């Protein structure tokens, strides 16, 4: 992998990781166009490692919120009065809401990395879930705020989040934001909940995937669509990780500002167009399936 390819893939990861448009779908189409076999062990490991950059960006951006929630949760464990703090409930909600996606990832990991990683699944999920988002975004009763979060909300959002590794084109943020909207939360609140619910799951998944497959980055394997072998290497991987970190930080800031005064309509239509484009490219043989 060349340095410029690493930079491009880092930018793609950073921009799309938290937007409801499927970072997996974007990475797979760009990697495919660059000639990489997206179901190869090496490129899968590369994708898992550079995702850590976007995760670090979210932790940095929401550091104050994370510390506040963690402190409130620990205080509530030993102090009855402290349990009245909404952040205590939110802390439990984040923990409980992270369980479904963890179970799915551990139990169905091989299946997810196999048949469900197909470009056809990505395209189909992009299009189909767009209509789910459309229904959620049209709700009128979106007045709930972060202080209204209950454990039931967290479980429901967590179950929606668990759909994202099963069907990559759904996108984790697309699933959790849709769930938040269905539960009546405002768009900005639903988006923030998506981040809070996603950080533990993304950290765990990123570390698990990176540690389990890191050696594939320095091992030659069938990672080219023309059947050739190559080594990605740690140099390009680190470059892509750092680029994704910086780009993701600004992407988060932009998204929160955008949803404070806009609906998700533009994302919904973008997903549909992208899904159709992927299908066309796959049918015409421009990208390998």
């Amino acid at each position: 992998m060349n340095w410029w390819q690493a930079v491009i893939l880092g930018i793609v990861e950073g921009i799309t990781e938290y937007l409801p448009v499927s970072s997996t779908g974007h990475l797979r189409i760009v990697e495919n166009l660059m000639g990489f076999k997206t179901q190869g062990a090496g490129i899968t490991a590369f994708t898992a490692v550079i995702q850590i950059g976007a995760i670090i960006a979210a932790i940095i951006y929401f550091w104050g919120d994370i510390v506040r929630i963690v402190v409130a949760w620990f205080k509530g464990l030993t102090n009855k009065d402290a349990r009245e703090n909404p952040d205590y409930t939110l802390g439990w909600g984040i923990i409980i809401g992270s369980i479904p996606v963890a179970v799915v990832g551990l139990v169905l990991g091989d299946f997810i990395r196999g048949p469900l990683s197909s470009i056809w699944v990505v395209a189909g999920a992009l299009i189909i879930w767009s209509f789910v988002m459309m229904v959620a975004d049209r709700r009128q009763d979106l007045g709930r705020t972060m202080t209204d979060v209950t454990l039931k909300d967290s479980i429901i959002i967590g179950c929606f989040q668990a759909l994202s590794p099963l069907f990559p084109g759904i996108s984790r943020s697309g699933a959790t934001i849709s769930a938040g909207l269905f539960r009546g939360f405002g768009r900005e609140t639903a988006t923030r909940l998506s981040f809070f619910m996603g950080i533990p799951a993304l950290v765990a998944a990123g570390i698990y995937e990176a540690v389990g497959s890191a050696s594939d980055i320095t091992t030659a394997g069938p990672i080219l669509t023309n059947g050739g072998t190559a080594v990605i290497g740690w140099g390009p991987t680190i470059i892509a990780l750092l680029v994704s970190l910086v780009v993701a930080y600004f992407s988060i800031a932009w998204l929160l500002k955008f949803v404070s005064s806009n609906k998700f309509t533009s994302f919904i239509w973008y997903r549909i167009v992208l899904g159709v484009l992927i299908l066309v490219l796959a049918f015409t043989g421009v990208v390998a399936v």
Side-chain angles (χ1 to χ4, degrees):
M1 180 179 289
N2 298 318
W3 69 268
W4 62 267
Q5 292 175 313
V7 169
I8 291 175
L9 291 171
I11 292 173
V12 172
E13 165 63 23
I15 291 175
T16 61
E17 179 61 47
Y18 298 112
L19 302 184
V21 295
S22 176
S23 61
T24 302
H26 282 79
L27 281 173
R28 284 187 180 155
I29 191 68
V30 176
E31 288 166 350
N32 209 302
L33 290 172
M34 287 181 175
F36 295 106
K37 185 178 180 182
T38 57
Q39 290 175 303
I43 200 67
T44 299
F46 169 84
T47 301
V49 172
I50 70 170
Q51 185 185 51
I52 294 175
I55 297 169
I56 295 173
I59 293 173
I60 294 173
Y61 191 91
F62 292 104
W63 182 248
D65 296 295
I66 293 171
V67 171
R68 189 190 73 246
I69 294 169
V70 170
V71 169
W73 183 77
F74 274 108
K75 283 184 177 179
L77 292 178
T78 57
N79 187 317
K80 183 178 180 180
D81 292 334
R83 294 171 194 166
E84 300 299 319
N85 187 337
D87 285 332
Y88 172 73
T89 302
L90 181 58
W92 272 117
I94 292 171
I95 294 171
I96 295 172
S98 300
I99 294 175
V101 70
V103 172
V104 168
L106 290 173
V107 175
L108 300 175
D110 292 338
F111 189 59
I112 292 169
R113 288 185 288 269
L116 291 181
S117 64
S118 164
I119 201 75
W120 300 111
V121 174
V122 172
L126 272 168
I127 296 171
I128 294 171
W129 196 262
S130 296
F131 294 99
V132 177
M133 288 187 64
M134 191 179 296
V135 173
D137 199 34
R138 288 182 175 179
R139 287 197 59 160
Q140 300 298 316
D141 54 337
L142 300 178
R144 299 180 68 197
T145 65
M146 200 67 72
T147 57
D148 299 319
V149 178
T150 65
L151 293 183
K152 181 179 179 180
D153 295 322
S154 301
I155 293 171
I156 292 173
I157 294 173
C159 289
F160 270 67
Q161 182 171 241
L163 294 173
S164 58
L166 284 173
F167 306 101
I170 287 179
S171 100
R172 190 204 58 79
S173 57
T176 50
I177 289 173
S178 297
L181 294 175
F182 279 126
R183 296 297 297 165
F185 290 101
R187 291 180 181 84
E188 186 175 0
T189 300
T191 303
R192 285 183 175 272
L193 273 174
S194 172
F195 284 109
F196 294 159
M197 293 292 181
I199 287 175
L202 289 172
V203 169
I207 294 174
Y208 177 80
E209 291 289 346
V211 172
S213 56
S215 62
D216 293 322
I217 291 176
T218 56
T219 303
I223 63 171
L224 302 178
T225 55
N226 61 9
T229 61
V231 175
I232 294 177
W234 278 107
T237 302
I238 297 301
I239 290 174
L241 185 152
L242 294 175
V243 170
S244 73
L245 191 161
V246 175
V247 174
Y249 184 90
F250 289 103
S251 178
I252 293 168
W254 176 85
L255 177 62
L256 289 173
K257 183 177 180 180
F258 178 84
V259 300
S260 66
S261 57
N262 294 276
K263 290 187 174 184
F264 290 97
T265 306
S266 55
F267 293 115
I268 293 169
W269 285 109
Y270 175 81
R271 288 171 56 95
I272 294 173
V273 171
L274 178 63
V276 172
L277 176 61
I278 292 175
L279 290 176
V280 171
L281 292 177
F283 274 117
T284 56
V286 175
V287 298
V289 297

